[in-house]
Amino acid sequence: SQQGEEDPQALSIQEGENATMNCSYKTSINNLQWYRQNSGRGLVHLILIRSNEREKHSGRLRVTLDTSKKSSSLLITASRAADTASYFCATGYNDMRFGAGTRLTVKP
Amino acid sequence: SQTIHQWPATLVQPVGSPLSLECTVEGTSNPNLYWYRQAAGRGLQLLFYSVGIGQISSEVPQNLSASRPQDRQFILSSKKLLLSDSGFYLCACGQTLQETQYFGPGTRLLVL
């Protein structure tokens, strides 16, 4: 069964704007991960944040984790058309469970 | 770094026909291996995972099966395909069950 739930399901923005996606989960986690999937392709790992971390950066990506609210957010700054993809969160505990994803469209 | 190969990339099969999808991994040893299915526009459903040769755990009851004949080979099979087996099948590997997973390019299966 799925663990994380992403919000919104779809997001459309203009190039240069920031994109924020949220993930909520229900049970304990050891880590939370974000993945990206271009249409018809496999998933690519973006970033992993552990349960004792609150924020993590990687290039234009910023991930936050609030274990008290059981939620995480992924911020993509200065978005580009090439960022158009689906983004999934996955929670790790005894195993890893993926959410249904947010479809991000960045218009040039 | 690891590379995951999957083939074929696309497959169209009639209902009732058998299935064999293969996944091989390079650049790592003793990996955990996974098979996921993704319906159009949806998230990933874990089908099977394997922590070693000959060790298969099934997550959902269905007419699919998996085998791991070698350390870096994972096969997804069916004796008789159903229409509901259509989807995008992804193979992944990782070192532990909860850490980063690396995905193959996927196989799109259409059962008619």
Side-chain angles (χ1 to χ4, degrees), chain B residues 35-39 42-47 60-64 84-90:
Chain B
W35 277 113
Y36 291 91
R37 178 168 60 202
Q38 184 178 31
R42 305 292 297 276
L44 278 68
Q45 179 187 32
L46 180 62
L47 301 175
V60 291
Q62 57 207 318
N63 71 318
L64 299 172
S84 57
D85 291 324
S86 293
F88 191 49
Y89 288 83
L90 288 158

Side-chain angles (χ1 to χ4, degrees), chain A residues 43-108:
Chain A
L43 277 71
V44 175
H45 180 256
L46 295 177
I47 198 164
L48 180 153
I49 186 166
R50 300 200 181 277
S51 59
N52 62 351
E53 298 176 306
R54 291 297 168 258
E55 189 169 310
K56 206 161 182 180
H57 297 255
S58 177
R60 293 183 295 112
L61 305 180
R62 181 170 78 100
V63 170
T64 62
L65 179 64
D66 187 336
T67 52
S68 67
K69 295 181 180 178
K70 290 186 166 56
S71 68
S72 172
S73 67
L74 170 66
L75 168 67
I76 304 174
T77 60
S79 64
R80 306 166 182 168
D83 294 328
T84 294
S86 290
Y87 292 83
F88 296 88
C89 69
T91 52
Y93 192 58
N94 292 320
D95 56 16
M96 204 156 77
R97 302 287 168 167
F98 287 83
T102 291
R103 281 196 311 280
L104 173 66
T105 302
V106 181
K107 300 174 184 176

Side-chain angles (χ1 to χ4, degrees), chain B:
Chain B
S1 63
Q2 51 270 75
T3 303
I4 299 93
H5 301 281
Q6 284 186 247
W7 64 90
T10 305
L11 189 60
V12 181
Q13 292 285 98
V15 169
S17 63
L19 173 73
S20 180
L21 301 181
E22 188 161 345
C23 169
T24 58
V25 180
E26 293 179 358
T28 186
S29 58
N30 302 316
N32 292 332
L33 297 175
Y34 307 84
W35 277 113
Y36 291 91
R37 178 168 60 202
Q38 184 178 31
R42 305 292 297 276
L44 278 68
Q45 179 187 32
L46 180 62
L47 301 175
F48 301 94
Y49 68 91
S50 171
V51 299
I53 297 174
Q55 300 178 62
I56 307 294
S57 296
S58 175
E59 287 292 301
V60 291
Q62 57 207 318
N63 71 318
L64 299 172
S65 62
S67 62
R68 186 170 177 175
Q70 301 180 43
D71 181 47
R72 287 172 282 182
Q73 183 184 28
F74 204 23
I75 298 172
L76 183 69
S77 304
S78 174
K79 292 181 180 178
K80 286 185 178 182
L81 284 169
L82 306 173
L83 288 174
S84 57
D85 291 324
S86 293
F88 191 49
Y89 288 83
L90 288 158
C91 177
C93 76
Q95 285 305 313
T96 71
L97 291 175
Q98 58 176 298
E99 297 286 326
T100 302
Q101 292 186 13
Y102 299 91
F103 285 80
T107 293
R108 188 161 304 281
L109 172 66
L110 179 59
V111 182
L112 300 175

